[in-house]
Amino acid sequence: MFKIVASRARASTPHARNALLSYNVSRSGHALSSATVEAEEISGSRPAEVLNLVQGKWVGASKWNTIVDPLNGDPFIKVGEVDETGLQPFVESLASCPKHGLHNPFKAPERYLMFGDISAKAAHMLSLPKVSDFFARLIQRVSPKSYHQACAEVYVTQKFLENFCGDQVRFLARSFGVPGNHLGQQSHGFRWPYGPVAIITPFNFPLEIPVLQLMGALYMGNKPVLKVDSKVSIVMEQMLRLLHTCGLPVEDVDFINCDGKTMNKLLQEANPRMTLFTGSSRVAEKLAVDLKGRIKLEDAGFDWKILGPDVDQEDYVAWVCDQDAYACSGQKCSAQSLLFMHENWASTSLVSKLKGLAERRKLEDLTIGPVLTFTTESMMDHMKQLLEIPGSKLLFGGKPLEGHSIPPIYGAIKPTAIYVPLEEIVKDKNYELVTKEIFGPFQIITDYKSSQLPTVLDTLEKMHAHLTAAVVSNDPLFLQEVIGRSVNGTTYAGLRARTTGAPQNHWFGPSGDPRGAGIGTPEAIKLVWSCHREVIYDYGPVPNRWEIPPST
């Protein structure tokens, strides 16, 4: 790893920071000069500290929340959490940003270029092996997942930043013109920032989700306050320090650690013009009411996969199903929660192969690990309720992990699959139970006949969250039927279809809800982080011999 060489003092000017970065990179073999922690050295005896950033200064708080190591329960991170009495600096900071933003097509357009440069420098930093390894291992410490999965998160973030280098940020603000009714009149449509905004992101992707949404907000000219789940906020604290080193003005982003109640109060008092929330549907619905609809949501998803009638590449399909359901211990908002197998697939060895793949996963390499939002007991209770449904059965898993020191506040179970008959799933008394999202290594499997496809599609229609889906088939008529009668915002179709593993090159987000937020692409950034403004130029000339007409 590399040494800590930066202090927690306020960053210097952008030019000085960039010069220091170049000097340190060339002198120390690409050491991360901004890092204030060593991922592998964080422990109960050497706890890390996470600060807040407001009005350009890193500050602590009157209260320190102790985060325990999800693998052994040791108190290993101290997070300075702001309480309701400490919100005023954050309120004032957001209030300092006008509604027309920090930049827009008519104001400070050079900032579009600045963010293209920042993206280029940050992308380069994340491409360096020592830097990407630092963030991957830091992610593993707070949101345990395999090294491969953690590296993939860093890679997607780096490629996203590459996508918005150079002129690509200003291209996000591309306008259009339409001829008017008479000489001198033209209407122009512009993408306009909201100004003061808020971003709230969850624990499961502590780098990718906050960076992609934060940079999108900044690109369009907004000033965000960012809150990341305190369990993992150390990752984004370190990334912000890197971004400052790459030229991000320290006053452009506020970073707050606090509990949900305090954040809700901040939103009420600061009144941001728009809030992006990624997380549970329950919290999302509450915020939508509290914020009077000024919100974009990328909320939870009970995500489904349908295996069509054409059976092919059984080993490959089984492997994708295992990855979709159990990678990151199932803690992806895109995780496969419900698998519909056509009767042709049900007669193959797919389930036994899926069982074998699931049983390869082990805690030692974090291909299975702690569940941070459900306890073992709650997941086992849910399984018991499902097994009371007539015809249901445990296919594999269904037991707690053994031989570990994961604290009891978190969950630890083996990858689990439960079969529930389709005719039981559709019953009102069972439907809510079967489609309850368990944010862990847990899925429902069922089968259907060709004649039951309408029942399957009706089941999808009843769902409330429509994030990701997969239709595994190369039959174009089957794909047409399923895609035409479903709404999931990110839907994969074809033999290689999956529900997880979204790269940076396509839209990721829900559909069927006007509040739905996307992430990653220019379309997502423009939808979430800007609004439309129309400017109608009408220069004249006024026609010769014009006279005041009669009143109308």
Side-chain angles (χ1 to χ4, degrees):
M1 194 60 69
F2 26 85
K3 294 176 64 178
I4 300 171
V5 298
S7 72
R8 290 181 176 267
R10 180 174 178 173
S12 56
T13 66
H15 294 296
R17 287 197 301 271
N18 295 338
L20 179 62
L21 171 64
S22 299
Y23 174 76
N24 283 336
V25 166
S26 61
R27 184 171 181 269
S28 60
H30 305 312
L32 181 56
S33 62
S34 60
T36 61
V37 298
E38 290 278 2
E40 293 170 345
E41 294 180 3
I42 303 172
S43 64
S45 59
R46 298 185 63 180
E49 290 185 356
V50 180
L51 301 183
N52 303 277
L53 177 65
V54 62
Q55 299 180 15
K57 297 179 181 179
W58 288 104
V59 297
S62 58
K63 170 189 173 187
W64 291 88
N65 179 21
T66 300
I67 307 298
V68 299
D69 190 321
L71 292 176
N72 59 31
D74 288 347
F76 77 141
I77 298 176
K78 295 179 179 178
V79 179
E81 289 205 345
V82 176
D83 60 21
E84 295 185 10
T85 64
L87 289 178
Q88 191 58 32
F90 293 91
V91 174
E92 293 173 356
S93 185
L94 277 187
S96 70
C97 178
K99 294 176 183 177
H100 54 261
L102 299 178
H103 63 266
N104 60 54
F106 290 78
K107 172 188 173 182
E110 64 275 5
R111 281 175 54 91
Y112 292 115
L113 305 184
M114 179 187 76
F115 278 105
D117 291 342
I118 293 169
S119 297
K121 292 167 185 172
H124 171 69
M125 289 299 293
L126 288 183
S127 73
L128 302 177
K130 283 188 176 180
V131 178
S132 62
D133 180 76
F134 167 78
F135 280 106
R137 296 199 179 280
L138 192 58
I139 289 168
Q140 282 190 295
R141 293 305 309 276
V142 294
S143 182
K145 59 184 75 173
S146 71
Y147 186 73
H148 177 83
Q149 290 284 322
C151 283
E153 183 175 346
V154 179
Y155 176 80
V156 167
T157 305
Q158 183 244 330
K159 300 306 287 185
F160 166 85
L161 290 167
E162 280 186 2
N163 284 344
F164 294 97
C165 297
D167 289 322
Q168 296 307 309
V169 174
R170 73 164 140 204
F171 288 161
L172 291 170
R174 189 190 302 270
S175 61
F176 64 84
V178 178
N181 292 336
H182 49 257
L183 183 63
Q185 186 185 75
Q186 286 186 338
S187 60
H188 287 259
F190 296 95
R191 299 312 302 176
W192 214 256
Y194 290 101
V197 298
I199 303 170
I200 304 172
T201 63
F203 75 91
N204 54 333
F205 286 90
L207 183 72
E208 180 182 338
I209 295 176
V211 170
L212 269 59
Q213 294 292 14
L214 174 68
M215 297 307 290
L218 290 167
Y219 292 158
M220 300 312 296
N222 303 289
K223 175 171 182 172
V225 57
L226 171 66
K227 173 185 160 31
V228 181
D229 189 313
S230 292
K231 293 191 291 292
V232 300
S233 61
I234 190 171
V235 177
M236 201 57 204
E237 187 220 42
Q238 295 299 301
M239 186 63 196
L240 280 170
R241 294 177 185 277
L242 183 147
L243 289 170
H244 291 157
T245 309
C246 293
L248 173 67
V250 290
E251 298 87 0
D252 277 17
V253 178
D254 293 332
F255 178 66
I256 187 170
N257 297 288
C258 61
D259 60 24
K261 180 182 176 183
T262 302
M263 188 63 190
N264 192 268
K265 185 174 179 61
L266 173 61
L267 296 175
Q268 298 281 355
E269 293 189 3
N271 195 30
R273 303 297 297 171
M274 212 286 290
T275 295
L276 178 280
F277 175 79
T278 304
S280 79
S281 296
R282 178 183 58 82
V283 177
E285 293 300 333
K286 180 184 187 305
L287 285 174
V289 174
D290 291 346
L291 301 178
K292 299 178 174 63
R294 294 191 304 273
I295 193 167
K296 288 288 186 180
L297 304 175
E298 187 193 327
D299 56 352
F302 186 84
D303 305 299
W304 50 265
K305 177 183 289 181
I306 296 176
L307 306 184
D310 46 326
V311 175
D312 194 12
Q313 299 294 328
E314 190 177 316
D315 287 341
Y316 181 83
V317 172
W319 173 75
V320 174
C321 286
D322 172 72
Q323 287 291 108
D324 282 347
Y326 305 125
C328 297
S329 301
Q331 294 173 103
K332 295 183 179 183
C333 52
S334 55
Q336 175 180 303
S337 300
L338 177 54
L339 176 63
F340 296 92
M341 296 187 301
H342 188 274
E343 58 184 335
N344 295 347
W345 279 99
S347 62
T348 69
S349 56
L350 178 74
V351 172
S352 64
K353 289 181 176 181
L354 184 55
K355 178 176 182 289
L357 291 167
E359 290 175 347
R360 296 190 308 173
R361 297 182 173 273
K362 53 186 183 294
L363 187 59
E364 289 77 10
D365 60 7
L366 292 178
T367 50
I368 193 68
V371 175
L372 303 190
T373 53
F374 283 86
T375 64
T376 302
E377 182 181 10
S378 64
M379 288 187 285
M380 297 299 289
D381 285 346
H382 182 67
M383 181 187 72
K384 291 175 182 176
Q385 293 179 60
L386 288 168
L387 291 176
E388 292 175 359
I389 297 174
S392 64
K393 59 184 176 181
L394 178 66
L395 296 175
F396 54 84
K399 296 180 180 179
L401 292 178
E402 299 173 347
H404 63 79
S405 53
I406 295 171
I409 60 171
Y410 298 138
I413 68 168
K414 294 180 178 181
T416 298
I418 293 177
Y419 173 83
V420 181
L422 179 61
E423 55 269 23
E424 292 293 332
I425 291 176
V426 299
K427 293 179 179 178
D428 291 341
K429 65 179 181 180
N430 297 328
Y431 186 79
E432 291 299 324
L433 175 64
V434 171
T435 57
K436 178 182 178 180
E437 184 182 20
I438 300 296
F439 212 54
F442 198 101
Q443 69 170 322
I444 306 295
I445 296 179
T446 191
D447 51 16
Y448 69 98
K449 296 178 172 62
S450 293
S451 61
Q452 292 178 303
L453 181 59
T455 303
V456 172
L457 297 175
D458 288 344
T459 302
L460 308 182
E461 178 70 16
K462 291 174 63 177
M463 293 181 182
H464 302 295
H466 303 288
L467 186 53
T468 71
V471 191
V472 182
S473 174
N474 280 348
D475 180 340
L477 296 181
F478 183 82
L479 293 176
Q480 182 173 285
E481 178 74 7
V482 176
I483 295 173
R485 294 183 57 184
S486 57
V487 299
N488 292 52
T490 304
T491 301
Y492 299 89
L495 181 66
R496 298 185 64 173
R498 62 193 193 275
T499 65
T500 67
Q504 70 295 328
N505 64 346
H506 69 59
W507 163 283
F508 183 86
S511 188
D513 188 333
R515 304 166 301 176
I519 191 171
T521 62
E523 292 76 17
I525 292 171
K526 286 183 279 189
L527 173 81
V528 175
W529 294 116
S530 69
C531 53
H532 182 87
R533 185 181 187 186
E534 194 87 1
V535 177
I536 297 88
Y537 294 100
D538 207 342
Y539 298 114
V542 176
N544 290 332
R545 300 178 182 178
W546 181 86
E547 296 180 357
I548 296 176
S551 298
T552 60

